[in-house]
Every structure is written in C-alpha cells, then in structure tokens.
Amino acid sequence: MTGNAIPARPSLSTIASVIGIARIASPVGPLTLAARDARVCVLQFDADDRTVRDRLARGYPDESIEIHGDPGGGVTALLAYFAGDLEALDRLEVELTGTSFQKKVWAGLRRIRAGRTASYAELARAIDAPRAVRAVGAANGANPVALVVPCHRVIGSNGTLTGYGGGLDRKRWLLEHEGCRLRLA
C-alpha cells in the first residue's frame, strides 16, 4: 500500500459466517443442531459433534463452526415443542442446501401442520409432481433438518408408518406427541 490509501473493506458477501452448533437432550434422544446466520441448517438425531461438523464442512467449507448455546433459537424452539408448543418449530427459519427438487419437497413438508400427516403420493401431488412419488421419498430421506422440516409426518398411502431415518419408534412417538391417531399395521 502506498501513501494514504485506505484498504478496501470486504463486502458482506465475502465475509464468512459463523455456524453455531449445539447438542441437546430430548425425549427422543440426543439431537445436534446447527444454524448459520440465525437459520437452522442441520438437525440430526444421535449424531455426534464430529459427524455434524463433517457434514457442515462439506456444505459450508469456508464457514467457521463454534459451540453456541442456542443457534438460531433452535434449542429454545425444540424445548418448547417437546413441552407441548407444537407450532414452535414452524417459527424457525431454515437454510436448506440441496437440489431445487429437494428444496421443493422440503418446502412441501413444512406445509404439513403438526397433528396432520400426508402420504408420499399426497406430497408429490401437493408439489405438482404427481408421478415423482419415489423421488419425493428420496428427498424426504435426505432432509438435513429433522423435525423442523417434518419428514416424520409422511406415512404410507394405507395410513401406516413407513421408513424413517430416525427409526419407526421415534417417528411413532413424534406423531403421537403431535396428536396423530395412528393406524396399526
């Protein structure tokens, strides 16, 4: 630098964000939550800190990751949800990384209210992709933000529980917590 030149300030778009991460106990087991710029970007069951950090490093390679007491308000919202405020998770902002189709499915999932369920076929129709039932199922399974993007609310067309990354017992507990009457297989 020569003379009295002032160095250029980096633009906001070039400043890396900090991702906050927290691990909490819940009635359905340990949860690891991460938020970037106050938007929840990861919520996983039973995942240890290292697993979530590795996932975040792949999706956000230039971001720093720090332990945080309540990233994006997610801990507060989860505690409220488990205490009975079933709409608490709806108020969280999310940041989802995936394909445009996955994001469309995940947006459709967020429209399924607590206490309600939808089949994969119903979800496919709701996002204007009625022939993409299997692709909807795959996107549902790739959901990076469990609970907040409520993939547990998707059931089989016959009304029975179907696969869930968190396990069927956990899915059953969540749906019963939300007041869903389940059909026994």
Side-chain angles (χ1 to χ4, degrees):
M1 185 173 357
T2 60
N4 293 333
I6 298 172
R9 297 186 80 189
S11 72
L12 290 178
S13 64
T14 62
I15 298 174
S17 300
V18 173
I19 297 175
I21 188 171
R23 189 159 166 83
I24 66 167
S26 82
V28 291
L31 298 168
T32 304
L33 167 82
R36 179 179 178 267
D37 296 332
R39 292 181 306 275
V40 176
C41 56
V42 171
L43 180 59
Q44 290 188 330
F45 297 109
D46 300 324
D48 60 29
D49 188 62
R50 180 81 264 148
T51 301
V52 172
R53 285 177 181 272
D54 290 347
R55 180 182 188 137
L56 290 167
R58 285 190 304 275
Y60 303 95
D62 298 325
E63 313 291 322
S64 69
I65 302 167
E66 299 175 2
I67 299 297
H68 190 283
D70 193 8
V75 171
T76 298
L78 283 163
L79 293 174
Y81 169 81
F82 287 119
D85 179 359
L86 301 179
E87 296 173 1
L89 301 179
D90 297 339
R91 296 186 286 272
L92 289 173
E93 291 188 49
V94 294
E95 177 174 297
L96 301 168
T97 56
T99 67
S100 59
F101 182 79
Q102 287 173 324
K103 289 177 183 180
K104 192 173 183 179
V105 171
W106 298 334
L109 287 169
R110 287 207 84 190
R111 289 189 292 272
I112 305 170
R113 306 285 28 115
R116 307 243 183 243
T117 59
S119 69
Y120 292 98
E122 290 168 332
L123 181 56
R125 285 191 300 273
I127 64 164
D128 295 322
R131 299 178 120 187
V133 175
R134 287 184 185 265
V136 163
N140 196 51
N143 174 15
V145 185
L147 301 176
V148 179
V149 177
C151 53
H152 63 279
R153 295 180 187 151
V154 179
I155 60 173
S157 293
N158 64 358
T160 59
L161 295 184
T162 56
Y164 183 57
L168 289 182
D169 289 339
R170 188 174 279 140
K171 182 174 187 166
R172 180 177 292 105
W173 189 96
L174 292 166
L175 291 172
E176 288 174 352
H177 174 67
E178 294 177 357
C180 290
R181 302 189 111 230
L182 302 175
R183 174 188 247 179
L184 299 175

